[in-house]
Amino acid sequence: MTSYELDARVIPHAERHSTILATFDALAVQESFVLVNDHDPVPLRGLFEREYPRGYDWEYLDEAPEWRIRITRLAATPLPRLLADTADLAGPTAEADLFGAVWRLDVAERDLDANVIAIAPEGRIATHAGPDLDVLLHVIAGSGRIVTERDVVPLGPGGLVWLPRRSQRSIEAGPDGLRYLSVHRRKPGLSIRSTR
């Protein structure tokens, strides 16, 4: 098992996490390095837990004043994982103050974006041309409709809708509100506003 030291204390603060993650990414399975630091890097461990759950080992060798932690790679790639239960995300759609993303895919290295969007009862996302990519929309709670250039697509729990790139549409929630999961190729963040 390879094991060398990486002294985080000499890495500029703005580059610290990216350098440590790059060091981890360069490891083969079962290889490790020893991270040396002047404090317990709790936020870094949270980052490892978010990016590589079950794919790494974190072993404290020494603690204060000089922290030494062996970090070992356990899997060649990030492992599949359960992100959320959409039944839990369906939540109470009747809360009038809920509008916008109530869940989002929070993994740094990814090709997809995914969000659960909540629209309050009778709320609306104004007519707009979609982004230059296809979007898959899955209704998880509530009801509503998508108004297109030519017609209306009704929405209800379980509905799966394809929104072709650049298609013009508005999304309107029914009297019980609307929550849906959207999945698409990764792009810059969205800005969704209500026009009730």
Side-chain angles (χ1 to χ4, degrees):
M1 175 184 345
T2 302
S3 191
Y4 66 93
E5 288 191 358
L6 177 64
D7 192 340
R9 300 169 297 184
V10 300
I11 302 170
H13 187 66
E15 300 170 16
R16 201 166 288 166
H17 282 185
S18 61
T19 300
I20 294 167
L21 291 178
T23 301
F24 179 81
D25 285 338
L27 296 174
V29 174
Q30 295 304 318
E31 284 186 333
S32 64
F33 66 95
V34 174
L35 178 67
V36 180
N37 207 357
D38 58 3
H39 64 278
D40 186 1
V42 174
L44 177 66
R45 185 152 192 196
L47 181 60
F48 266 87
E49 198 54 38
R50 188 173 74 239
E51 298 297 320
Y52 307 101
R54 304 178 341 273
Y56 75 99
D57 185 54
W58 184 279
E59 178 188 0
Y60 288 97
L61 303 174
D62 292 309
E63 296 185 9
E66 183 177 87
W67 293 77
R68 296 168 52 77
I69 302 151
R70 178 178 290 122
I71 302 173
T72 305
R73 185 178 197 112
L74 300 179
T77 62
L79 298 170
R81 62 196 126 170
L82 179 65
L83 296 172
D85 184 335
T86 56
D88 294 337
L89 297 172
T93 57
E95 294 180 36
D97 61 339
L98 289 180
F99 193 92
V102 295
W103 177 89
R104 57 181 98 242
L105 183 59
D106 188 24
V107 176
E109 295 297 320
R110 65 184 193 275
D111 294 330
L112 292 176
D113 269 338
N115 303 286
V116 171
I117 304 296
I119 304 176
E122 309 298 338
R124 181 172 188 263
I125 297 175
T127 301
H128 64 284
D132 192 23
L133 48 83
D134 297 333
V135 176
L136 192 63
L137 184 148
H138 179 247
V139 179
I140 60 175
S143 65
R145 63 190 199 151
I146 296 175
V147 179
T148 75
E149 290 180 85
R150 299 218 31 218
D151 56 13
V152 172
V153 177
L155 300 174
L160 187 60
V161 180
W162 174 52
L163 303 173
R165 66 185 66 206
R166 298 182 299 277
S167 61
Q168 188 168 327
R169 70 254 188 178
S170 66
I171 302 175
E172 301 172 355
D176 49 351
L178 178 66
R179 285 198 185 194
Y180 62 85
L181 170 69
S182 69
V183 180
H184 44 78
R185 194 170 23 94
R186 192 168 185 185
K187 63 181 174 122
L190 290 174
S191 177
I192 297 176
R193 293 190 249 333
S194 176
T195 60
R196 279 200 251 189

